[in-house]
Amino acid sequence: MEEKIIDESQQGQSLVLEQRPENRRKLFIESYGCQMNFSDSEIVASILANEGFNTTNRLEDADLVLVNTCSIRDKAEQTVRKRLEKYNAVKRINPKMKVGVLGCMAERLKEKFLDEEKIVDMVVGPDAYKDLPNLLQEVEEGRDAVNVILSKDETYGDIAPVRLGGNGVTAFVSITRGCDNMCTFCVVPFTRGRERSRDPQSIIAEVNDLAEKGYQEITLLGQNVDSYLWYGGGLKKDYKHATEMQRATATGFAQLLEMVAEAQPHMRIRFSTSNPQDMTEDVLHSMSKYRNICNYIHLPVQSGSTRILKEMNRQHTREEYMHLIDRIREILPDCAISQDMITGFPTETEEDHKATLSLMEYVKYDFGFMFMYSERPGTLAARKLEDDVPLETKKRRLTEIVALQQQHSAYRTQQFLGKTVEVLIEKESKKSDLQWSGRTPQNTVAVFPKEHYKVGDFVNVHIEDCTTATLIGTAVGYSEKR
Ligand code: SAH
Ligand code: F3S
């Protein structure tokens, strides 16, 4: 069993907010995996809206079924295979229905999908979505269609995403695609290609558009946002050829953050994911300068052991990571920090595992996402290292770190007791239709009685009680600072 402290309710299907009355065809689109996949599905829905598709949440009604897939762990791929079986059952009743696989699994398995899974008509990698109209045409003419070409410059910066399944309050805006870090366990550099950054002007335009539509919070997305770099071109590895002028006017992540924060001073700005090896202090200073940038950093570390970090090709030691944590605490005293951890990476000893536990004690993370190591074909770890930690040991270590994280999460939520925090209302609480649910700037979920407030309001909430993951309180008025 793989454990993970995460809200999984989002996984799976999403329904579009706006429908075009003239569109006659029906698209059923589901997303699995990371936020980037959910964001990509919004780009796909936008491209297909121009091809006459509205989305539906009824699989049985669909002319086209698309599943945006994740390859990060074997379990993620198994989930998608189960979904394909389900589509197959529906397709037997409605043979005209077409099925397409998008995203990382499409990229990883390519044409193999068509042979292995007879049900699949179309395989489309993460950089090929603009080719969907052509691919659809091929499928309609009775041919299978594949495009898994990775691009060096595609950022979909010119496509206005159609917002799917959202709350109309919070949205993702992608700023980089791909990853150049080559962590040895990770399949992302293979499935999503080289790292490239999106033109800051197109990012600001998208943020302004979201603000006009009433959105109150955006999350800037990238596999590694800290390495965002725009110098007139977006491909990181070509920066060495940039002219002096391009270098002098380049935009880094801290500058981008400030541009976005200034463009929409009433919006909350978040970002994900930060990478310890690329995060610089100027980002922390930008965060402290603009109160609308939320004090929350997702800072995956994967392991507390320097030896394992080296095997993982993470470019920092345990001590360097701790130093970065110290700087965050100094510059942003109320900043929440969360982690990703992997247990049972090849050669991990009990001592390495203890080093992870002690690093967790040092940081006392607010939240965590914890996984057992899953060997991914083609990665450096799979080629060079034997997956030698027994499953039972991986599981036990995972249970230990999850239990410790739960203690720390409980400790963190308790620190809010008696305080008044700003909450952006996102939706009805899952537990009670009399309560709203939203998040604090630190990303902690807070629930409280609805009274006269509504979704999208910023309210001050007095915290009276808490669980491990949730703050419970009463609203005491609108947030003055807005
Ligand atoms: N930089 C990315 C990381 C994507 S993967 C981001 O935007 O978050 C998310 C997490 O999955 C990683 O931080 C890591 O903890 C976990 N992960 C990646 N590859 C894995 C593997 N082979 N086995 C287990 N967990 C893995
Ligand atoms: Fe994967 Fe490491 Fe990039 S975890 S996404 S290769 S930063």
Side-chain angles (χ1 to χ4, degrees), residues 282-311:
D282 55 353
V283 172
L284 304 178
H285 291 296
S286 300
M287 291 172 76
S288 99
K289 200 158 125 195
Y290 293 89
R291 67 163 303 280
N292 60 329
I293 305 178
C294 293
N295 279 349
Y296 166 53
I297 303 174
H298 181 50
L299 198 62
V301 63
Q302 321 297 357
S303 168
S305 152
T306 296
R307 190 185 70 80
I308 293 290
L309 289 171
K310 194 151 192 287
E311 293 287 353

Side-chain angles (χ1 to χ4, degrees), residues 420-425 436 448 450-461 474-482:
T420 300
V421 294
E422 185 196 72
V423 177
L424 170 59
I425 304 178
W436 287 131
F448 56 92
K450 284 182 175 174
E451 297 179 64
H452 56 285
Y453 300 103
K454 58 185 193 311
V455 168
D457 284 346
F458 284 99
V459 288
N460 289 325
V461 177
T474 312
V476 293
Y478 292 101
S479 170
E480 295 262 317
K481 290 172 257 168
R482 294 284 151 186

Side-chain angles (χ1 to χ4, degrees), residues 119-143:
I119 148 118
V120 176
D121 304 292
M122 191 163 68
V123 180
V124 194
D127 286 345
Y129 299 145
K130 280 189 190 154
D131 196 28
L132 273 166
N134 300 324
L135 297 169
L136 262 177
Q137 175 102 37
E138 287 199 28
V139 166
E140 272 151 24
E141 287 165 10
R143 292 186 296 273

Side-chain angles (χ1 to χ4, degrees), residues 222-291:
Q223 300 299 338
N224 176 6
V225 287
D226 303 288
S227 67
Y228 176 87
L229 180 66
W230 178 263
Y231 54 93
L235 192 64
K236 186 69 170 281
K237 83 174 175 46
D238 283 352
Y239 183 63
K240 49 183 180 293
H241 305 302
T243 62
E244 239 170 77
M245 182 65 172
Q246 282 179 320
R247 281 170 193 269
T249 54
T251 308
F253 182 57
Q255 284 146 305
L256 178 73
L257 255 186
E258 298 204 0
M259 282 164 70
V260 175
E262 275 175 29
Q264 292 299 335
H266 297 292
M267 256 186 161
R268 269 186 181 178
I269 318 298
R270 299 185 184 278
F271 53 89
S272 190
T273 298
S274 298
N275 192 302
Q277 76 194 52
D278 296 302
M279 181 160 217
T280 50
E281 282 192 16
D282 55 353
V283 172
L284 304 178
H285 291 296
S286 300
M287 291 172 76
S288 99
K289 200 158 125 195
Y290 293 89
R291 67 163 303 280

